[in-house]
Amino acid sequence: MKPKYSILAAVSALVLVLDQWSKLYIDKSMTLHSSYPVIEGFFNITYLRNKGAAFGILASSSYRLPFFLLVSSIAVIVILVAVSKMRDDQTWNVASLSLIFSGALGNMIDRVRLGEVIDFLDVHWKGHHWPAFNIADSAICVGVFILAVDMLLEERREKKNPPTPDAH
């Protein structure tokens, strides 16, 4: 197996197992809307369900489920195609896309299984709460961040070492 596919498989398996296990654990051990402080005044484990996307977008829309499943499916396919076209030395790109891939898949599994996504990570500061999220959401955000940083670094590398024109 090529290194890029090993990275994709390993990262995706790890994130999917952690994401699905944590959601199942929260669902079985907590009641909906219950909350436990982890770091007082900053971080709680709070069991919520989100029918929408980030910040509850489209939560009340009648076409939300087909729309989210379609978008997730397209993202998964596009990422698989992108990884297949990457060079083996593009490990950071592959790792970041693997995080995005597994996050999209993790939330897609919830939508197929439950019609909504289980969220439970609740960050807040002085009464201001960030919308609750989960491991899949975290993987997507970290993946996008790593991809952006790697793209900026690649741009710098290309400016320092511009490709040499072919001598004919």
Side-chain angles (χ1 to χ4, degrees):
M1 182 183 294
K2 287 188 167 207
K4 63 185 176 184
Y5 296 117
S6 296
I7 293 168
L8 177 67
V11 169
S12 298
L14 177 65
V15 170
L16 277 171
V17 166
L18 288 173
D19 177 63
Q20 292 301 300
W21 175 84
S22 64
K23 290 171 179 174
L24 287 170
Y25 180 80
I26 294 296
D27 188 47
K28 297 293 181 210
S29 65
M30 295 179 71
T31 58
L32 192 59
H33 304 292
S34 62
S35 186
Y36 298 101
V38 177
I39 301 172
E40 195 66 45
F42 181 70
F43 177 65
N44 298 338
I45 300 295
T46 303
Y47 180 16
L48 300 170
R49 290 201 176 196
N50 183 0
K51 292 180 188 250
F55 308 104
I57 295 170
L58 298 176
S60 60
S61 173
S62 60
Y63 60 87
R64 69 175 168 76
L65 192 57
F67 174 75
F68 291 136
L69 292 175
L70 177 66
V71 169
S72 297
S73 298
I74 291 169
V76 163
I77 291 166
V78 167
I79 289 169
L80 289 174
V81 169
V83 168
S84 75
K85 295 180 182 289
M86 289 185 168
R87 299 182 316 268
D88 285 336
D89 67 335
Q90 292 178 291
T91 54
W92 284 109
N93 283 341
V94 173
S96 63
L97 288 177
S98 300
L99 288 166
I100 298 166
F101 172 83
S102 56
L105 223 73
N107 283 337
M108 189 164 74
I109 290 168
D110 279 17
R111 291 187 195 287
V112 168
R113 194 170 65 85
L114 305 168
E116 56 196 359
V117 175
I118 293 175
D119 288 328
F120 57 92
L121 301 171
D122 177 21
V123 177
H124 54 95
W125 181 257
K126 296 185 179 187
H128 302 286
H129 283 257
W130 185 258
F133 55 99
N134 57 46
I135 291 173
D137 299 332
S138 300
I140 292 168
C141 291
V142 170
V144 168
F145 178 77
I146 292 170
L147 187 62
V149 168
D150 192 58
M151 290 170 73
L152 289 171
L153 293 175
E154 180 67 26
E155 189 176 300
R156 283 186 180 175
R157 286 188 291 265
E158 286 178 5
K159 284 182 180 177
K160 285 183 179 179
N161 302 316
T164 55
D166 292 336
H168 290 279

